[in-house]
Amino acid sequence: MGKTARLPRMTAVLAAAAAGVIAFSGMLPTTAAPPPSQSPVVPGGELAKAFAAAADHYDVPRDLLVALGYAESHLDGHKGRPSQAGGYGMMHLVSNPNNRTLSEATKLTGLPTERVAKDSAANIAGAAAVLDSYADQAGLTEAQRDDVDHWYQVIAQYSHSADLATGKLYADEVYRLLGAGLTVRTGEGAGITVAPAKVDPERGKYATASSMGTMAVDYPGAIWNAALSSNYTVANRPTSSAIDRIVVHTTQGSYAGTISWFKDSRSKVSAHYVIRSSDGQITQMVREKDVAWHVRNANSRSIGIEHEGFVDNPSWYTDAMYRASAALTKNIAERRGIPKDRTHIVGHVEVPGNDHTDPGPHWNWNYYMQLVNGGGGNPEPEYNFTTYGSGVNVRSDAKVTASIVTTLPGPTRVFVVCQKEGDAVTAEGTTNRWWSKLRDQNGYMTNIYIDHPDAQLPGVPVCGTGQTINTTGTNVNVRSEPTTASTVLRVLPGATTQVAVCQAAGQSVTINGVVNSWWAKLQAGGYVSNHYVSGANPKIAGLADC
């Protein structure tokens, strides 16, 4: 892709914006989006042309531009309404003291601010112009501009995140979408696609930043990533005040953007938990004993849960999010004696004295409360070992020189996926070459700090002894046994790469008339039907039986 001249401005991309060919449909489904296979695809039309024109004019990879927009808004302009951080349009061009991408886009394109904020083609052009400017600042060459892997730091800069870790979280989501591919099937961006691609981003200064915090103390499996202390009140609940409400929110922004906003001194808002749409990942930002600032006069009596998305677009409310949130709400309610009913589990819109509408008409309360009360949500994560010691580093590989992924502040319940030999470590009066790979921290720690007397942990496989497989489909359940009635351990939101240790004959699964009774046992735990394993027919070639 050759870099084109910046003068004059009225190229195809700006002409499309000026002609007003992109219109907001205003037509959104009234219920949660059906699985992609059930949603018709229509031509991408003028919006697709706008992405192509902007990418060509500003020499930004088209798929990168689409993935960024999808991560920010699911390619929905929200009729020009701003996000909670003051971001506009499907590309989330922001106007606040810490992020001025909207004004940057206006200056770079020469278009009026109102048009850049509210017209989709102009908004796309504005984002492309900002990315182009950042790429110039980063010194990307012509060849590097054609390779999405070189744009990682530019994407992270576009987020204007509060810290490197949150910037990494933001950019990682964009690159996850590039790797998995995407198809927009409803709404303004219907018909726009990005084909799956192998990505290996050059993270630069973000490589050593941990996008995974330590494990949260209140809810097992949640990630701890603290909000700025000036955005909540330190307290000692329930001693200082009773907790009798759980409030459901919608972020009106992206997952990483919301986490960054709660770390911003100008926001003056926070919530206890934030949940990601794609896979139900949970980040805790305020301790439950403390008072988050999320519902004005009801802050002191409530716990707030933010869900990634926008109230006017049901595509954000995925089954993975519903299940993760329901399991969290169920856990909080049972620990704190809060009745699991609609009097005590409420939406932001239902709290007196507030002017918000979230979670909006597309939130499926019946399904959500069924999960909360019926136990159909994700089970609490399973753990097989506990660490000891304080300040224990988890590293990217089994080497003492490998980058630090995160640090365990004290004894922590962990799930060891596998173990392998690495650098010898001497501590606590012993030497050990074995390292454990931790599921939730996505890194390795020396077995010296695993609370078990054996150097090599019993019942844990050696890493790399399985077979790499590629899963397909969206919202694929990983179950505790090779049956559809067994417990759902987690949900694979899209195409993934896994390690299977063996395959087992189990319950037959029929999809589109094809029957398959074989299931892959994953090294990370659980079984997935071979229906969702690329190349399985019906078994996976070369993989041993369990």
Side-chain angles (χ1 to χ4, degrees), residues 203-501:
R203 291 184 169 88
K205 66 182 180 181
Y206 296 91
T208 56
S210 173
S211 56
M212 295 282 290
T214 58
M215 302 307 291
V217 294
D218 289 317
Y219 181 67
I223 299 164
W224 174 251
N225 195 341
L228 192 68
S229 60
S230 61
N231 288 337
Y232 66 92
T233 303
V234 176
N236 189 30
R237 301 188 303 172
T239 301
S240 57
S241 59
I243 303 173
D244 64 359
R245 293 288 188 278
I246 298 171
V247 182
V248 172
H249 298 267
T250 302
T251 60
Q252 294 299 102
S254 70
Y255 178 68
T258 300
I259 291 170
S260 183
W261 188 236
F262 290 168
K263 290 171 168 285
D264 191 317
S265 61
R266 295 171 176 84
S267 73
K268 304 304 179 188
V269 292
S270 62
H272 295 90
Y273 296 95
V274 185
I275 303 181
R276 187 159 63 189
S277 169
S278 63
D279 59 0
Q281 184 184 91
I282 302 173
T283 290
Q284 182 175 6
M285 301 196 69
V286 178
R287 290 284 306 273
E288 291 179 14
K289 75 175 186 67
D290 296 329
V291 178
W293 298 349
H294 61 111
V295 279
R296 295 182 180 175
N297 57 326
N299 285 332
S300 64
R301 65 187 298 186
S302 62
I303 290 173
I305 305 175
E306 289 277 2
H307 299 80
E308 181 186 23
F310 291 82
V311 296
D312 59 358
N313 189 334
S315 68
W316 292 93
Y317 296 150
T318 63
D319 194 58
M321 174 186 279
Y322 275 123
R323 289 181 178 275
S325 178
L328 170 62
T329 293
K330 181 175 186 288
N331 176 278
I332 294 170
E334 292 178 351
R335 280 190 289 108
R336 300 199 172 274
I338 301 172
K340 292 179 288 185
D341 58 37
R342 287 286 282 113
T343 299
H344 298 85
I345 302 172
V346 299
H348 192 174
V349 66
E350 297 169 305
V351 179
N354 286 268
D355 57 2
H356 288 240
T357 61
D358 53 315
H362 304 301
W363 182 261
N364 191 332
W365 277 109
N366 289 337
Y367 179 53
Y368 186 66
M369 295 306 296
Q370 177 185 354
L371 292 174
V372 170
N373 285 287
N378 294 340
E380 290 187 8
E382 296 179 359
Y383 302 99
N384 52 5
F385 291 94
T386 301
T387 70
Y388 72 93
S390 59
V392 177
N393 291 326
V394 179
R395 298 185 179 272
S396 60
D397 199 0
K399 301 176 181 178
V400 294
T401 56
S403 60
I404 297 173
V405 175
T406 189
T407 300
L408 305 180
T412 304
R413 296 167 66 201
V414 295
F415 186 90
V416 178
V417 173
C418 59
Q419 56 191 329
K420 70 177 185 179
E421 288 189 279
D423 287 351
V425 176
T426 301
E428 305 294 324
T430 186
T431 299
N432 195 337
R433 298 187 64 90
W434 285 93
W435 293 64
S436 290
K437 184 174 183 180
L438 307 184
R439 175 192 63 196
D440 299 320
Q441 291 78 12
N442 195 29
Y444 295 84
M445 66 171 288
T446 172
N447 281 7
I448 286 178
Y449 292 106
I450 298 289
D451 193 8
H452 194 280
D454 294 348
Q456 184 178 358
L457 302 177
V460 177
V462 176
C463 298
T465 56
Q467 180 174 323
T468 299
I469 62 172
N470 295 312
T471 68
T472 61
T474 57
N475 294 329
V476 175
N477 291 326
V478 178
R479 297 186 177 273
S480 59
E481 300 293 337
T483 68
T484 58
S486 61
T487 303
V488 176
L489 300 179
R490 61 190 179 280
V491 178
L492 305 180
T496 67
T497 299
Q498 304 283 334
V499 175
V501 296

Side-chain angles (χ1 to χ4, degrees), residues 19 33 58 70 100 103 120 123 147 182 196 220 237 256 299 312 331 366 372 412 417 473 484 502 521 531 540:
Y58 290 104
Y70 193 84
R100 301 183 184 276
S103 61
S120 294
N123 193 257
D147 183 353
L182 64 92
R237 301 188 303 172
N299 285 332
D312 59 358
N331 176 278
N366 289 337
V372 170
T412 304
V417 173
T484 58
C502 59
K521 184 175 182 180
H531 263 302
I540 302 168

